[in-house]
C-alpha cells in the first residue's frame, strides 16, 4: 500500500522551546530583580542559571542579550544602575567605556 501524504512525522516549532522560554523568563526575572529591590545577588544567580542552560543544551544566546550581561560577574549592565558609560572624543573618534559600579 502507498503511504498517506499527510502523515509525515514533522517536528513542530523550535527545538528546545521549553528551554528557550525558561531562559527568557530568567532574563526578565533578573532585570525585574535589579529594578525593584536592587538585589544583585538574585539577578546574578538568574543570569548564571540562564547561561548554564544555554551551555548544557548548546543554545546560542542572542547577541543583543549578550551585550547586556557582564562576562566576568554575570551582572546585567543597566546604565545608571549597575554600570556607567562615558563618551570620550580622541582625535575625531568617539570611544565608549563602561565602568562597573557594582
Amino acid at each position: 500500500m502507498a503511504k498517506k501524504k499527510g502523515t509525515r512525522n514533522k517536528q513542530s516549532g523550535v527545538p528546545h522551546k521549553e528551554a528557550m522560554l525558561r531562559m527568557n523568563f530568567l532574563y526578565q526575572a533578573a532585570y525585574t530583580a535589579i529594578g525593584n529591590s536592587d538585589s544583585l545577588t538574585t539577578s546574578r544567580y538568574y543570569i548564571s542559571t540562564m547561561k548554564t542552560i544555554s551551555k548544557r543544551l548548546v543554545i546560542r544566546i542572542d547577541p543583543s542579550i549578550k551585550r547586556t550581561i557582564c562576562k566576568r560577574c554575570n551582572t546585567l549592565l543597566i546604565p545608571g544602575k549597575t554600570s556607567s558609560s562615558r563618551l570620550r572624543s580622541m582625535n575625531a573618534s568617539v570611544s565608549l567605556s563602561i565602568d562597573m559600579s557594582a
Side-chain angles (χ1 to χ4, degrees):
M1 296 191 93
K3 291 184 179 180
K4 295 181 183 178
K5 290 185 179 181
T7 60
R8 279 192 272 160
N9 191 5
K10 291 183 184 178
Q11 287 185 354
S12 61
V14 180
H16 303 296
K17 184 176 180 178
E18 293 170 1
M20 296 288 280
L21 290 173
R22 178 73 175 157
M23 290 169 50
N24 183 21
F25 173 78
L26 288 169
Y27 183 77
Q28 290 178 3
Y31 195 88
T32 305
I34 288 180
N36 291 340
S37 63
D38 294 328
S39 176
L40 286 177
T41 55
T42 307
S43 175
R44 287 178 182 168
Y45 175 73
Y46 292 155
I47 295 297
S48 65
T49 305
M50 183 185 80
K51 283 186 168 185
T52 303
I53 292 170
S54 71
K55 286 179 184 177
R56 185 183 47 155
L57 296 174
V58 191
I59 299 172
R60 290 187 177 178
I61 299 174
D62 192 62
S64 63
I65 293 175
K66 277 186 187 178
R67 288 183 196 114
T68 62
I69 300 171
C70 178
K71 291 180 182 177
R72 284 185 278 145
C73 62
N74 292 330
T75 303
L76 282 176
L77 300 175
I78 301 172
K81 288 201 174 202
T82 58
S83 67
S84 62
S85 57
R86 288 185 259 162
L87 293 174
R88 286 187 229 159
S89 61
M90 299 172 66
N91 299 335
S93 66
V94 178
S95 66
L96 175 70
S97 66
I98 297 176
D99 297 326
M100 294 297 297
S101 63

